[in-house]
Amino acid sequence: MKLKVPPFLVFLIFALLMYLNARWLPVGYFDFFGRVYVMGGLLVVAVAIILISLIQFFRAKTSVDPTKPSKVSSLVTDGLYKYSRNPMYLALLLLLLAWGLWLGNAFNTLLAALFVGYMNRFQILPEEEALLRAFGKEYQQYVTNVRRWF
């Protein structure tokens, strides 16, 4: 696989970039009533998605290591995976959006969008190629029925 940087490290890099953006960019600050509640809601949903996704992988007795798709022993297509092919990455995006709300800089939404673009190009596409090789038509059918993010 072409993957060079583990997804969680990519998440941390983007979180750091968001912090630096909020700290040093002189414009873009925002606040609104309920911002903390929206942030809290995003955090709760993200943590729930991560936990449920991990439980589904452990029940299927397959690898959760995104850097080694060759270790995948079964295709998980039920539960959250009926609605998103990448719920764990979706959860990371929700965490970045919550972080961006906490920091209060509107330009952080652009960094969150760049995170999605990076993940699509350098993480998800190589994973999908590996899964297609491993599961063939079963995975191709899954791809046609389930969206990539949400």
Side-chain angles (χ1 to χ4, degrees):
M1 193 164 116
K2 303 170 197 163
L3 176 67
K4 304 269 189 267
V5 183
F8 190 72
L9 183 57
V10 172
F11 164 78
L12 292 176
I13 290 168
F14 273 89
L16 176 63
L17 289 173
M18 290 171 87
Y19 171 77
L20 294 173
N21 178 54
R23 177 103 168 117
W24 299 108
L25 190 66
V27 296
Y29 178 78
F30 72 94
D31 196 5
F32 60 89
F33 177 77
R35 178 170 64 112
V36 174
Y37 298 113
V38 174
M39 181 194 67
L42 289 171
L43 285 172
V44 168
V45 170
V47 169
I49 289 172
I50 290 171
L51 291 175
I52 292 168
S53 297
L54 288 173
I55 289 168
Q56 285 187 255
F57 267 60
F58 290 131
R59 282 188 179 161
K61 296 181 177 143
T62 191
S63 173
V64 295
D65 184 357
T67 62
K68 296 183 177 104
S70 60
K71 290 186 174 185
V72 174
S73 59
S74 64
L75 188 60
V76 179
T77 60
D78 59 340
L80 292 177
Y81 290 88
K82 284 194 295 191
Y83 307 102
S84 171
R85 296 194 314 257
N86 300 287
M88 289 187 215
Y89 301 149
L90 175 60
L92 293 178
L93 172 61
L94 294 176
L95 290 173
L96 284 177
L97 291 173
W99 177 236
L101 283 172
W102 175 261
L103 295 170
N105 189 299
F107 290 102
N108 280 333
T109 56
L110 297 175
L111 287 169
L114 288 173
F115 171 78
V116 170
Y118 179 91
M119 292 301 288
N120 279 335
R121 170 68 179 89
F122 296 104
Q123 180 64 41
I124 294 172
L125 287 177
E127 272 182 25
E128 288 179 343
E129 291 170 6
L131 291 171
L132 184 59
R133 282 192 301 276
F135 297 105
K137 287 187 179 189
E138 181 184 5
Y139 184 70
Q140 185 61 42
Q141 181 66 34
Y142 176 65
V143 166
T144 59
N145 292 328
V146 179
R147 292 172 168 246
R148 183 175 282 161
W149 285 86
F150 50 85

